[in-house]
């Protein structure tokens, strides 16, 4: 999900704080003790000049410095942004959260969903963070996107070699705009960053709640740092074994099933903007995507809305059945009034309106240029410290970069030189989902220009940690339940499985039963017996 928000960067390593305990250097690697021993302190978020829509009153913010390359920490560093909702009772440590993607801003999610973690904050500091290359942690971008490949490449006029050439040039453009962080993406590095954060926050073991891609991150952490793994919950479990070409196809199929279910529901409700019967409704949603790609509509602030944007909004809304009424209303606004604002809000892509000429706000959380001469010293400092919202393409580029870095079996140059295989893949993805297939295939093919992927994730097996919890949902459109079972087997006896009989992507926010069992484990260590289940709340 792309989320329009920002966080000030005034919290620096120079802030007054107590250094973390010293860490012995790895005998087989460089000395990382300066990274683990850095000073850190939390600071108020309200003084940072950010553009988050809402900042909980007690939320605090900070940043941690990590090396770009852990094998060569002297070659440069990046800053990772964190925020927390402090524990309201007796504190047992920090609980770090990852909301998936890869490419979702954890800082924005914790700020926007603070109330939903109220039970956990009785004992934990609930901590969000933006992984490297995401949100406000040196966000990757490809610029304005004008030269980037799109789903329109899937035409007969483009040979495999021509598309390969476009993707290779696209990566070079992304690297130019993103800087060195693009070459150091991937879950292995994010996991190492996670361990640095754990230590700096003062926790002997990592307590972690990960959703969707966050489950891959959690699994990698158990393999890299088994002795540092504490209470860990993985909800909406990702695959560790299927290559990107297969997992993306499964994801497209799941999204199409969810869309078909929504369309059928919509057609049986009076006033459905897609039509009065499910067959017409399915055809009309496909026509709408095609029409918008040929002729986008424009939001009130001048922001264009294309068919690809509609697909992105649909993919976000279909993660939960509770979103269906709002999605129906948003589609009505689009179809009847050419108004895409509600759909842009669903995807988190709605840009703020341009300020009026006499407005006191410049849209960045600072002071308007009209008042520049009247700024106080404090106001001037706040403007300097303000951080811009992440680039519009950040979440998409981060998703591609991480997935490509984690996959050793992704497409090769040889695959792009094989026109027959290239065309068969296009047919397979279109068959899996005429709506979501082309976008999924585009992300797979964009790996062409990226550095080679690691086989570390593929080799994870039989981790030796304390017991932790995996939650799988039977009707999950993005991460099928079988992935939960397969991942549990790979991780070994340490993993216990909770079988959620409901629908939607991940279960913590939609199932009262799952939330209770997850909270009981994180708060009190009460772990369910593997194979236990929760019934559908529907």
């Amino acid at each position: 999900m792309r989320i329009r928000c920002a966080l000030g960067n005034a919290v620096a390593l120079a802030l007054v704080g107590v250094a973390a305990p010293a860490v012995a250097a790895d005998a087989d690697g460089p000395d990382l003790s300066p990274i683990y021993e850095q000073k850190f302190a939390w600071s108020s978020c309200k003084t940072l000049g950010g553009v988050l829509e809402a900042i909980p009153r007690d939320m605090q913010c900070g940043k941690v410095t990590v090396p770009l390359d852990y094998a060569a920490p002297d070659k440069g560093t990046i800053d990772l942004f964190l925020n927390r909702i402090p524990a309201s009772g007796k504190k047992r440590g920090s609980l770090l959260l990852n909301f998936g993607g890869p490419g979702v801003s954890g800082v924005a999610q914790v700020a926007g969903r603070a109330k939903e973690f109220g039970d956990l904050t009785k004992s934990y500091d609930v901590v969000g963070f933006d992984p490297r290359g995401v949100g406000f942690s040196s966000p990757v971008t490809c610029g304005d996107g004008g030269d980037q490949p799109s789903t329109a490449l899937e035409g007969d006029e483009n040979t495999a070699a021509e598309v390969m050439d476009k993707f290779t040039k696209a990566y070079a453009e992304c690297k130019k705009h993103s800087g060195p962080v693009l070459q150091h993406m991937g879950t292995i590095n994010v996991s190492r960053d996670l361990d640095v954060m754990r230590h700096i926050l003062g926790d002997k073991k990592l307590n972690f709640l990960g959703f969707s891609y966050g489950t891959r991150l959690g699994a990698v952490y158990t393999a890299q740092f088994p002795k540092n793994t504490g209470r860990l919950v993985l909800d909406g479990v990702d695959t560790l074994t299927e290559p990107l070409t297969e997992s993306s196809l499964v994801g497209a199929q799941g999204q199409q099933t969810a869309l078909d279910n929504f369309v059928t529901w919509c057609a049986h409700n009076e006033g459905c903007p897609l039509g009065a019967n499910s067959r017409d409704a399915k055809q009309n949603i496909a026509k709408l995507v095609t029409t918008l790609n040929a002729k986008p509509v424009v939001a009130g602030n001048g922001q264009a809305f294309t068919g690809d944007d509609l697909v992105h909004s649909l993919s976000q809304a279909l993660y939960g059945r509770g979103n269906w009424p709002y999605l129906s209303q948003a589609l009505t606004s689009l179809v009847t009034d050419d108004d895409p604002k509600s759909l842009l809000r669903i995807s988190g892509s709605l840009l703020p309106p341009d300020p009026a000429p006499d407005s006191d706000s410049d849209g960045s959380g600072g002071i308007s240029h009209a008042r520049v001469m009247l700024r106080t010293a404090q106001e001037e400092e706040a403007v300097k410290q303000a951080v811009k919202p992440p680039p519009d393409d950040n979440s998409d580029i981060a998703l591609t970069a991480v997935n490509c870095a984690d996959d050793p079996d992704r497409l090769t140059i040889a695959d792009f030189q094989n026109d027959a295989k290239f065309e068969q893949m296009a047919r397979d993805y279109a068959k899996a989902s005429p709506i979501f297939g082309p976008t999924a295939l585009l992300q797979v093919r964009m790996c062409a220009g990226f550095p080679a992927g690691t086989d570390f994730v593929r080799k994870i097996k039989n981790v030796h940690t304390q017991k932790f919890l995996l939650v799988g949902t039977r009707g999950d459109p993005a991460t099928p339940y079988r992935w939960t079972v397969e991942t549990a087997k790979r991780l070994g006896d340490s993993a216990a499985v909770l079988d959620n009989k409901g629908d939607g992507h991940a279960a913590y926010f939609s199932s009262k039963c799952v939330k209770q069992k997850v909270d009981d484990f994180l708060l009190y260590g009460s772990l369910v017996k593997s194979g236990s289940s929760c019934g559908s709340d529907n």
Side-chain angles (χ1 to χ4, degrees):
M1 179 185 296
R2 287 176 288 188
I3 300 173
R4 301 290 307 180
C5 57
L7 176 68
N9 66 347
V11 181
L13 292 176
L15 282 174
V16 177
V18 179
V23 176
D26 186 339
D28 298 323
D31 180 12
L32 296 175
S33 57
I35 294 295
Y36 277 84
E37 292 170 3
Q38 64 183 281
K39 293 182 179 181
F40 173 83
W42 292 105
S43 176
S44 170
C45 299
K46 293 182 179 180
T47 62
L48 300 182
V51 293
L52 285 170
E53 288 187 8
I55 298 178
R57 181 175 301 177
D58 57 346
M59 191 175 85
Q60 297 174 314
C61 299
K63 71 177 181 179
V64 168
T65 296
V66 296
L68 275 169
D69 184 350
Y70 279 89
D74 58 336
K75 290 186 177 181
T77 60
I78 55 174
D79 292 327
L80 307 180
F81 277 89
L82 294 77
N83 62 339
R84 72 168 177 175
I85 308 298
S88 59
K90 185 177 180 180
K91 179 179 171 181
R92 75 173 313 275
S94 300
L95 176 69
L96 280 86
L97 279 68
N98 182 279
F99 293 86
V104 172
S105 167
V107 168
Q109 287 286 305
V110 165
R113 312 189 80 146
K115 292 183 180 179
E116 298 179 72
F117 299 107
D119 291 337
L120 292 173
T121 56
K122 293 175 182 177
S123 297
Y124 286 105
D125 288 345
V126 171
V127 179
F129 68 97
D130 286 351
R132 58 174 59 209
V134 175
F136 312 104
S137 298
S138 300
V140 293
T141 177
C142 296
D144 61 12
D147 298 326
Q148 293 306 303
S150 69
T151 54
L153 275 175
E154 310 304 327
D156 294 336
E157 71 278 9
N158 295 287
T159 66
E162 290 171 336
V163 175
M164 172 67 183
D165 181 62
K166 285 182 179 291
F167 285 137
T168 302
K169 291 178 179 177
Y171 175 72
E173 190 72 11
C174 297
K175 189 163 64 171
K176 180 179 73 174
H177 288 284
S178 298
V181 67
L182 187 64
Q183 301 169 72
H184 298 283
M185 300 287 281
T187 305
I188 291 177
N189 279 332
V190 178
S191 174
R192 300 200 69 169
D193 296 341
L194 197 57
D195 195 59
V196 172
M197 287 184 273
R198 169 202 63 78
H199 186 81
I200 288 173
L201 293 174
D203 295 315
K204 292 182 178 180
K205 292 183 179 291
L206 174 73
N207 301 306
F208 178 80
L209 174 55
F211 305 99
S212 193
Y213 160 76
T215 68
R216 189 197 313 168
L217 173 58
V220 169
Y221 188 89
T222 65
Q224 285 186 300
F225 303 100
K227 294 181 179 179
N228 296 347
T229 301
R231 295 179 185 175
L232 183 137
V233 178
L234 310 180
D235 183 7
V237 182
D238 198 1
T239 180
L240 297 179
T241 57
E242 294 185 9
L244 188 57
T245 50
E246 294 179 16
S247 61
S248 294
L249 189 65
V250 170
Q253 289 171 332
Q255 288 180 308
Q256 186 64 46
T257 298
L259 178 61
D260 290 345
N261 292 339
F262 162 74
V263 165
T264 299
W265 170 87
C266 182
H268 288 132
N269 286 276
E270 185 176 354
C272 177
L274 301 174
N277 67 72
S278 58
R279 185 178 63 181
D280 289 345
K282 290 176 183 178
Q283 293 175 347
N284 288 335
I285 193 70
K287 290 178 182 177
L288 189 57
V289 171
T290 302
T291 300
L292 287 170
N293 272 332
K295 187 179 180 181
V297 299
V298 180
N301 60 357
Q303 186 175 359
F305 187 80
T306 68
D308 288 344
D309 291 324
L310 175 58
V311 171
H312 186 73
S313 296
L314 290 171
S315 69
Q316 299 305 314
L318 293 171
Y319 278 155
R321 190 182 183 95
N323 299 329
W324 288 6
Y326 183 77
L327 175 59
S328 179
Q329 294 171 8
L331 287 170
T332 297
S333 296
L334 177 67
V335 171
T336 60
D337 301 322
D338 285 339
D339 182 1
K341 289 195 294 295
S342 294
L343 287 163
L344 285 166
R345 289 191 183 96
I346 288 175
S347 67
S349 302
L350 183 64
L351 296 174
D354 293 331
D358 59 348
S359 171
D360 283 345
S361 172
D362 65 1
S364 67
I367 308 300
S368 71
H369 294 292
R371 293 182 58 211
V372 66
M373 299 302 294
L374 302 178
R375 289 176 183 155
T376 65
Q378 290 85 356
E379 288 175 333
E380 187 70 38
E381 185 63 23
V383 171
K384 290 179 181 179
Q385 292 172 352
V387 171
K388 296 179 180 179
D392 293 331
D393 66 343
N394 173 240
S395 62
D396 291 335
I397 302 306
L399 180 148
T400 299
V402 173
N403 283 340
C404 296
D406 288 354
D407 183 15
D409 299 321
R410 63 189 206 207
L411 295 179
T412 65
I413 293 177
D415 294 317
F416 278 89
Q417 293 172 339
N418 186 335
D419 281 322
K421 182 174 182 177
F422 189 87
E423 293 166 3
Q424 183 60 50
M425 285 186 65
R427 288 192 292 269
D428 289 343
Y429 272 75
K431 182 179 179 180
S433 172
I435 302 296
F436 302 104
T439 299
L441 182 56
L442 176 68
Q443 292 171 341
V444 169
R445 289 177 172 174
M446 283 185 70
C447 286
F450 283 72
T454 179
D455 62 355
F456 182 91
V457 179
R458 194 69 51 80
K459 291 181 177 179
I460 295 175
K461 192 172 184 180
N462 294 325
V463 298
H464 300 289
T465 70
Q466 65 182 60
K467 282 276 192 177
F468 55 87
L469 180 62
L470 274 62
V471 182
T473 299
R474 293 283 178 167
D476 193 318
T479 52
Y481 182 76
R482 66 176 175 83
W483 284 356
T484 302
V485 176
E486 292 168 359
T487 298
K489 288 180 179 178
R490 288 196 66 82
L491 297 177
D493 294 338
S494 296
V497 173
L498 176 60
D499 179 358
N500 177 41
K501 306 294 186 181
D503 296 302
H505 183 39
Y508 184 82
F509 299 109
S510 60
S511 168
K512 294 178 182 178
C513 172
V514 170
K515 186 178 187 303
Q516 186 65 59
K517 294 184 184 301
V518 168
D519 287 354
D520 285 347
F521 171 57
L522 291 172
L523 291 170
Y524 313 116
S526 303
L527 184 63
V528 300
K529 182 179 179 181
S530 189
S532 298
S533 65
C534 281
S536 172
D537 281 355
N538 294 329

